[in-house]
Amino acid sequence: MESNDQISASRPQTLPSTPEPAAAKDIQKVLDGRWWETRNRLREELNDPSYRPAYDLPLEEARELMVERLERIRDTGLPQGVFSKEHGGSGDIGATLTGMEMVGHADLSTMVKAGVQWGLWGGAVDALGTERHGKYVEQIINLDLLGCFAMTERGHGSDVQSLETTATYDKDTQEFIVHSPVESAQKCYIGNAAKHGRMAAVFAQLHTPDENGEPGESHGVHCLIVPIRDEDGNPAPGVTIGDHGLKAGLLGVDNGTLLFDNVRVPRTALLNRFGDVSEDGEYSSPIDSKNRRFFTMLGTLIRGRISVGAASGAATRSSLTIATRYAMRRRQFEGAPGDEKHLMQHRQHRLRLIPRIARSYALALLQNKVIEELSDQNEQMVAGGWDIATPTEDQQWRQREMESRAAAVKVASSAHATDTIQECREACGGAGYMSENLICVHKADSDIFTTFEGDNTVLIQMVGKEVMTAYARDMQDLNPMDMVRFGFDNVTDLLRSRTPVATAVQSLRDRVVDRDEESMFDPAYQLYLLEERQENLMRSLGRRLRPARKMEIEDAVKVVDGAQDHLIAVAWCRIDALLLAALIEAEEKMPEGTARTVFNQVRNLFAMTTIGANSDWYQEQNLLTATRSKTTRAAVNDLVDSLGPWANVLVDSFAIPDALVDVPMLNDAGVDPKK
């Protein structure tokens, strides 16, 4: 295996014009990651046309089909991993999240329905409940108890701390009274609510009585299990259920609304891992700080956000596979007289698809790393080395890092899906607009993912705040003023010391000596350029925020708001640097051979595309000369030209089951039947 110093620092040579299909298997091994066996098992299960999106069914039939598919997924044993061993699960969260990602290759309605049942509803019971709630887990796994996750309200979505639904304890009856006091407290967009859910994990402001027996102060948002239907499917007393009906996508998911009119549930309905109420109405929690308690609670539910990012990436890869295979077969316009060219033989078509394939590689690798880190943390907690209620300082910043990376991948993957699937649709012309060819179906179904499980505009700021604070004190309080309480000197050293990276990547960081002499194709120099942009913008943002320290809070908030665009730019720089580091780390581990050579060009293409997109900034900051900027643009053209004949190899490496991407337009008379 080559050392880091042997990773090509010179201009990559053009690949042979005749591709080697076997290289796809070698690249697949890299992309599949730790849970490759789970992926292969799901590939066998999903290699069935009946798993494809049911875009042509009536609404009710589409919804009922989802239950049938969930039963098939249940029978694979996949949902067991979501749940802890103490509650009857296997605890292999990495395998389950990877499996849910694979379902995203087939149908996002199925993935979301499964995610609501086992990830959100079941995950809330498992992660926020205690032994008294373990009795529900077997029913949830076996689909004997379908439920929903009732967090979002009409008036408050991303701002969960300001939810208006209340849960007030009545010590005379030892019950909680769950109530929607205003119309804006209506729970909205709740999957499983409109049709199939019988219970809901309801997030509400928890109130206990004061000395006069009246509702006292709120202890913050907590979660309770609330029945919403009886055995016959009728709404439970005091519960009003609405149906959102047809949506732009995700036809099979029965999204609905919930309103509660003084609904009484037993005291034990409170999921009490992080906060409990005694029979006489005394509140207690292992976490003193209300803010830390809230963010700890939300942190345990991170798997839903990770799943959304993973499914976004999967749907994108399915669309890229279809569009690329079409481009390698569909002929359009002559090259030589009498010889029409394939779409992929036109450079502009290569520029439309191949850089997006490169970004999909990077996102898949970073997604794998996030799932691995979550699995490792989960194993430490199970082993008793990590108490999430009383973590050490080191564990706190690791948890914040995990939450930030999960947000980063979710934002990047869903934004990439929105951009790339649309490009795939356009790249296939009218055929791409036909539902039977699936690209427009993936487009419609994935569109909500930019706001599902956290609005991207909100989450990207969370990533930026993590970068700027470098895990400083009071990290739990994510309000605007936190950003102006800290100094920004030496923030680069802090950020690097607290961001775990492979030894290979760290050694590359230390290798750049003369930025004017380094090759643009050297991974060390590429990483330097991406991280230098991040650090430069961080310092600039710090200077913009410093004056706010001495201001009254109203004026300080205005300063922070005025720098919001700058904060978001920092976060995107952070994401791009993480993506490149993931590519470099994967490349370093590959043995010499054709697959590594191809992967090297993919990494170079990602880096050149990313640097080139910001070439004006690099020239303004005197980090790149005009000549080097031109080199970057030329390199992108050279790389897509080199990789063009290998495009099928690139998407074959995704190893998507044939039944999920074998669409009519690939067999039409308008495409070359020999390819």
Side-chain angles (χ1 to χ4, degrees), residues 80-144:
Q80 297 279 346
V82 174
F83 303 95
S84 60
K85 292 181 179 179
E86 63 183 311
H87 288 160
S90 68
D92 192 354
I93 187 66
T96 296
L97 290 177
T98 300
M100 288 295 105
E101 176 183 344
M102 295 302 296
V103 174
H105 283 300
D107 175 38
L108 292 180
S109 278
T110 305
M111 179 270 158
V112 170
K113 185 77 169 181
V116 168
Q117 172 63 18
W118 293 306
L120 294 178
W121 155 238
V125 173
D126 185 66
L128 301 180
T130 56
E131 65 278 355
R132 72 191 188 197
H133 304 107
K135 62 184 179 182
Y136 296 110
V137 170
E138 183 178 356
Q139 299 176 65
I140 293 171
I141 293 175
N142 293 334
L143 300 178
D144 294 327

Side-chain angles (χ1 to χ4, degrees), residues 148-157 159-167 178-191 193-194 200-205 221-224 226 228 239-244 254-260:
C148 46
F149 186 80
M151 178 181 282
T152 299
E153 295 179 359
R154 186 191 299 179
H156 293 88
D159 185 9
V160 178
Q161 281 184 296
S162 298
L163 295 179
E164 295 176 289
T165 301
T166 59
V178 180
H179 186 57
S180 308
V182 290
E183 289 187 4
S184 56
Q186 182 186 56
K187 300 291 184 179
C188 293
Y189 321 123
I190 311 301
V202 178
F203 289 79
Q205 302 287 349
V221 173
H222 288 63
C223 187
L224 302 91
V226 181
I228 60 171
V239 179
T240 301
I241 302 174
D243 190 336
H244 281 300
D254 54 322
N255 295 92
T257 63
L258 297 171
L259 271 171
F260 304 98

Side-chain angles (χ1 to χ4, degrees), residues 373-618:
E373 290 167 11
L374 179 65
S375 177
D376 292 344
Q377 285 187 14
N378 190 60
E379 289 181 4
Q380 290 181 29
M381 292 176 188
V382 171
W386 187 331
D387 183 353
I388 194 169
T390 57
T392 65
E393 183 179 351
D394 178 72
Q395 289 168 345
Q396 285 186 53
W397 74 251
R398 286 181 59 192
Q399 181 66 24
R400 295 303 304 174
E401 169 72 10
M402 165 57 62
E403 293 169 13
S404 175
R405 286 204 180 194
V409 176
K410 187 270 182 184
V411 168
S413 292
S414 57
H416 180 61
T418 296
D419 166 73
T420 297
I421 300 176
Q422 176 64 25
E423 195 67 32
C424 289
R425 206 293 297 159
E426 295 181 21
C428 295
Y433 198 57
M434 300 295 105
S435 294
E436 65 181 9
N437 293 321
L438 299 183
I439 292 177
C440 66
V441 178
H442 290 313
K443 169 70 177 174
D445 287 346
S446 65
D447 188 67
I448 188 61
F449 282 29
T450 58
T451 52
F452 183 33
E453 279 294 308
D455 185 294
N456 278 5
T457 303
V458 175
L459 290 183
I460 194 68
Q461 292 176 73
M462 174 181 170
V463 177
K465 290 172 183 177
E466 174 265 321
V467 174
M468 292 305 297
T469 56
Y471 307 107
R473 63 189 181 279
D474 294 336
M475 188 59 187
Q476 290 80 10
D477 298 322
L478 293 179
N479 60 67
M481 286 307 299
D482 286 331
M483 297 172 53
V484 299
R485 292 176 181 161
F486 316 114
F488 299 100
D489 298 331
N490 302 318
V491 71
T492 298
D493 292 337
L494 277 170
L495 184 63
R496 287 185 173 183
S497 67
R498 296 194 169 193
T499 303
V501 296
T503 303
V505 175
Q506 186 58 56
S507 64
L508 285 173
R509 284 173 166 173
D510 300 335
R511 206 179 74 194
V512 176
V513 178
D514 187 343
R515 70 185 190 190
D516 294 324
E517 297 296 329
E518 298 288 347
S519 167
M520 290 294 297
F521 299 91
D522 185 336
Y525 186 57
Q526 293 168 353
L527 190 60
Y528 161 78
L529 286 174
L530 266 59
E531 291 189 336
E532 183 63 22
R533 174 168 158 77
Q534 170 189 298
E535 293 156 13
N536 186 298
L537 289 174
M538 286 163 59
R539 291 189 292 269
S540 174
L541 178 57
R543 289 191 294 271
R544 290 181 64 179
L545 293 176
R546 273 197 180 101
R549 295 181 184 177
K550 300 177 181 179
M551 296 178 178
E552 297 295 329
I553 188 166
E554 292 83 1
D555 294 328
V557 168
K558 291 179 182 179
V559 171
V560 173
D561 183 68
Q564 198 170 45
D565 58 334
H566 206 134
L567 176 69
I568 291 172
V570 167
W572 276 113
C573 291
R574 169 71 162 160
I575 289 171
D576 287 338
L578 289 172
L579 290 172
L580 180 58
L583 284 168
I584 292 171
E585 182 180 348
E587 181 183 348
E588 191 274 340
K589 294 178 181 177
M590 295 178 72
E592 293 184 41
T594 301
R596 178 166 178 159
T597 302
V598 173
F599 196 94
N600 171 276
Q601 295 208 356
V602 170
R603 185 260 301 162
N604 275 306
L605 179 58
F606 172 82
M608 294 299 177
T609 303
T610 305
I611 294 167
N614 299 291
S615 61
D616 290 348
W617 182 90
Y618 282 108

Side-chain angles (χ1 to χ4, degrees), residues 272-286:
N272 62 327
R273 184 178 182 189
F274 300 115
D276 203 359
V277 176
S278 66
E279 292 182 1
D280 60 1
E282 290 296 319
Y283 179 82
S284 62
S285 172

